[in-house]
Amino acid sequence: MSSTGSANSAAIDRQALVRRHNVCQRTLDPRSPVSVGNGEFAFTVDLTGLQSIPDAYPVGARDELPAGTLLGTQAQWGWHSTPPEQPYGLAGSTVLYDSPRGPVPYVDMVGNIVNDRETDASRAETWLRANPHRLDLGRIGFRLVEDGTERAIIRDDVAHTRQTLDLWTGVVSSSFTLAGHPVTVTTACHPDRDEIGLRVVSPALRHGLVVAMDFPYGSEAWHDAADWNRPDAHTTMLGEPAPFGLHAGSSSWTAMRTLDAARYEVVVTGNNLRVEQTGQHRLRIAPSSAAQGQDHADAMDLAIAFIPDGTGGCIPRGDSRLSRVAAKPAKDAGAGTAVGLSPGSTLSPGSAVADASAAYWPRFWSSGGAIELEATDDPRAKELERRIVLSQYLTAINCSGSLPPQETGLVCNSWRGRFHLEMHWWHAAHFAHWNRPELLLPSLRWYSTVMEPSRATARAQGFDGVRWPKQVGPDGRESPSPIGTFLIWQQPHPIHLAELVYRARPGREVLEEFGDIVFETAEFMASFAHPTSRGFELGPPLIPAQESYGSIRGSVTNPTFELAYWQWALRVAAAWRERLGLEPIPAWQEVADGMVQPRVIDGVYAAIEVEPFTIRTDHPSMLCALGVLPETDVIDKDIMRATLAEVLADWDWGSTWGWDYPVMAMTAARLGDPEAAVNALLMDAGKNTVLPNGHNRQTDSLPLYLPGNGGLLAAVALMAAGWDNGPDLHAPGFPPGWTVAWEGLVAAP
């Protein structure tokens, strides 16, 4: 094995590494559309390079819920709340639970959750779980105007398809025939703005081919960001065109969108275009009449930008990794600038966006870490390398923004677009391992914006510090749930993520910026652990990372993973105080040193300390205690080795989730079993499926799952670069005989 981290090794040819995994499709795969994006905004397209046939890419319906589509247009700022019939609060869902400290209030749920659907929930609970919800900002697709009548494109209209997502440039190139005419489409997203660039070339533009933009209302459905059945509940108003840029015939059109308190603008810029409102919520874009009969009649080059108003339900973006500013065109621009085109540019707007994308992505791929497995004969290596490369692209465009991501990123909604903080580590920790901490910083900074409501939760329950919520929107308000509010494994995540950032960029600046988050988190953790004659214990009530014990949440104690996580994170927080020259807090050390040992039954770790001890469904989360985490005093390696063997021999794989396979890989690697690590990452299991576009598919109603991609990247970084005090080997987590070239990775704790 070799590592290009060593001084005498040749650098990896990153362009060749990346481009051999370009996504190339010649037939329609309804599960596998491709996206362009920048972490704050993403646009997912079908084989036409737009969103012309959304029904062909369904998000499967569950029970009576309507089917959605994978072809979304979403931004981190794009949120909406349906006006409530009356003011709703959490008091009606708050229940007192017995604890070692006496009765403690928890936001529970009068109803229940069955197959991710509310059952017997009150209207208040349903509204609080569904609002705010993430918006689909608009659907952009081809339509045909025939004999004056506009109609939708259907799947059978499109033939001879070929599409390539060039990962090196982030540009999608699509070609097909439509109504007997060849069509080529270039689609790209600007790296700094919520803006797509389109270039369409086809003689069909002379024969009725147009681009249509349709706008929906916000949806409270758990998996759909668009409600097309309430046209009178929102408004779309197209303004008059204004000149821009230096091109003759160049114009800009602005449409104002209003959905209750949420407002945003959609700005179309281009040359020789005609933009008109043809329906209550539809815009049509076509070559202008002046273009007809001219050489450029067969081409449209345009940019479409989405801009938050910032005064209503759409939250304005904060600082991001590229200091993006979604600025409106200056009112006095006249022949000056507009979104998508800089002064003096010789490019049309769509081509300018594609150029910006083609300049940004090579810089991304040339930065941070890389792993190359091409020289390995084992056929597993080729597939693993494909998953590694595609996961970097997908997490960059979906998980690197100013909010913790939802599990389906910016592709489509899951759980109404609300994000799950216990999943934040799985979405984003790898950015630091891959030496790209700047992609983790925006979402890590979000915690400071919800410090006060999180402190209020801790205070109401009699704890110190801050207790982070679980299933939330940008405001950080907890959701009623019989599970979410009882989880505790998200509490140490901000400490873990901050520590990974510090390891990648050691310096006082990181310590000072995130010190309050780390210390307030540790204050809660130390006060949550309660002293007994055996030591410090966790719960009841609680639910561990393995949610199979939700029905006995009132009696669960001392889950194995959480005991180790409490000890390790409190010691990391103490190290942060030492690095900053602050006095130690004795209680943190006392709790960390005094954590009780996990329950061992028949030589293996149980999931929890009380009966039924281990249910063999859902996450085998006890493995996280040595794998996701380094060695701690509460875990014995030999017992964990036996636990891993038992899990691999007998677990209900159908009930697992995509990040469980990286968990097993990290545990196997730290235990010195690289063959088991690779086998775990590539296990033939339904929820370990990785589609041609790189997404980790789970079910029809959860068609992609970014924690699986992020977990894979965290696992292979550990397997390649190793960990503190680990074996002195290159790529210790890969089997003997594999040729593993890597560079730029940061060793795990």
Side-chain angles (χ1 to χ4, degrees), residues 116 129 404-405 407 415 418-424 446-447 454 467-473 476-479 481 483-491 547:
D116 300 307
R129 285 175 59 81
E407 293 180 353
W415 290 277
R418 298 166 73 80
F419 37 94
H420 297 227
L421 291 188
E422 85 279 17
M423 289 293 97
H424 191 195
W446 172 83
Y447 286 88
S454 301
R467 181 167 190 165
W468 305 113
K470 192 272 190 192
Q471 182 180 338
V472 297
R477 190 259 300 148
E478 188 62 272
S479 301
S481 173
I483 293 177
T485 57
F486 298 89
L487 297 178
I488 61 171
W489 69 295
Q490 74 270 35
Q491 302 307 321
E547 296 177 8

Side-chain angles (χ1 to χ4, degrees), residues 355-703:
D355 254 25
S357 177
Y360 168 75
W361 281 99
R363 296 198 303 270
F364 166 85
W365 290 113
S366 299
S367 71
I371 297 176
E372 185 170 50
L373 305 174
E374 176 73 5
T376 300
D377 291 333
D378 190 322
R380 294 176 299 174
K382 307 297 189 293
E383 172 60 14
L384 186 54
E385 186 186 272
R386 181 186 77 89
R387 297 184 182 194
I388 291 169
V389 171
L390 288 172
S391 292
Q392 289 177 79
Y393 177 79
L394 293 174
T395 54
I397 67 174
N398 287 289
C399 303
S400 66
S402 51
L403 295 176
Q406 65 168 318
E407 293 180 353
T408 49
L410 296 169
V411 176
C412 62
N413 271 8
S414 54
W415 290 277
R416 285 96 170 202
R418 298 166 73 80
F419 37 94
H420 297 227
L421 291 188
E422 85 279 17
M423 289 293 97
H424 191 195
W425 193 95
W426 297 97
H427 284 287
H430 65 90
F431 289 131
H433 288 301
W434 284 74
N435 211 3
R436 296 183 181 117
E438 66 278 4
L439 303 189
L440 168 56
L441 288 173
S443 61
L444 185 56
R445 288 173 176 141
W446 172 83
Y447 286 88
S448 65
T449 71
V450 296
M451 192 83 82
E452 288 311 310
S454 301
R455 182 177 288 111
T457 298
R459 187 183 303 118
Q461 295 179 334
F463 301 121
D464 299 329
V466 297
R467 181 167 190 165
W468 305 113
K470 192 272 190 192
Q471 182 180 338
V472 297
D475 56 359
R477 190 259 300 148
E478 188 62 272
S479 301
S481 173
I483 293 177
T485 57
F486 298 89
L487 297 178
I488 61 171
W489 69 295
Q490 74 270 35
Q491 302 307 321
H493 280 353
I495 296 177
H496 199 163
L497 294 171
E499 175 69 2
L500 294 178
V501 170
Y502 178 77
R503 291 172 64 87
R505 297 289 186 272
R508 193 172 183 87
E509 182 179 355
V510 170
L511 297 172
E512 290 179 344
E513 179 173 5
F514 297 107
D516 283 349
I517 291 174
V518 168
F519 300 151
E520 293 287 336
T521 301
E523 283 289 295
F524 167 78
M525 292 174 61
S527 67
F528 182 84
H530 60 92
T532 70
S533 59
R534 302 168 54 214
F536 285 92
E537 303 192 41
L538 302 177
L542 64 78
I543 297 175
Q546 182 190 6
E547 296 177 8
S548 303
Y549 312 92
S551 63
I552 59 170
R553 55 191 176 274
S555 61
V556 172
T557 60
N558 299 327
T560 295
F561 170 38
E562 284 81 348
L563 288 172
Y565 210 176
W566 241 245
Q567 182 179 86
W568 181 79
L570 283 170
R571 289 176 174 171
V572 169
W576 273 55
R577 291 190 66 85
E578 183 177 353
R579 291 166 185 164
L580 283 166
L582 302 174
E583 290 293 320
I585 296 180
W588 298 1
Q589 197 65 47
E590 181 185 5
V591 173
D593 292 346
M595 297 303 298
V596 299
Q597 299 292 306
R599 185 70 177 260
V600 177
I601 298 178
D602 297 330
V604 302
Y605 284 116
I608 59 176
E609 190 173 57
V610 300
E611 291 184 345
F613 303 118
T614 302
I615 298 173
R616 310 190 74 76
T617 61
D618 198 45
H619 312 297
S621 61
M622 55 280 205
L623 299 180
C624 296
L626 181 58
V628 173
L629 301 181
E631 291 186 50
T632 57
D633 297 345
V634 300
I635 297 297
D636 179 277
K637 291 181 71 171
D638 290 333
I639 298 174
M640 185 59 78
R641 185 174 287 107
T643 306
L644 174 63
E646 186 180 65
V647 168
L648 291 172
D650 179 25
W651 201 264
D652 177 19
W653 301 116
S655 66
T656 57
W657 298 86
W659 57 268
D660 293 321
Y661 304 92
V663 164
M664 293 184 288
M666 287 186 275
T667 301
R670 289 197 192 259
L671 292 172
D673 191 346
E675 186 70 25
V678 169
N679 283 338
L681 289 178
L682 297 171
M683 184 181 292
D684 184 12
K687 291 182 181 175
N688 199 35
T689 299
V690 176
L691 299 169
N693 62 4
H695 276 300
N696 176 205
R697 181 178 172 81
Q698 304 294 284
T699 64
D700 286 349
S701 56
L702 190 57

Side-chain angles (χ1 to χ4, degrees), residues 719-740:
M719 292 161 62
W723 54 93
D724 296 346
N725 303 314
D728 187 20
L729 298 170
H730 288 311
F734 286 93
W738 279 46
T739 301
V740 181

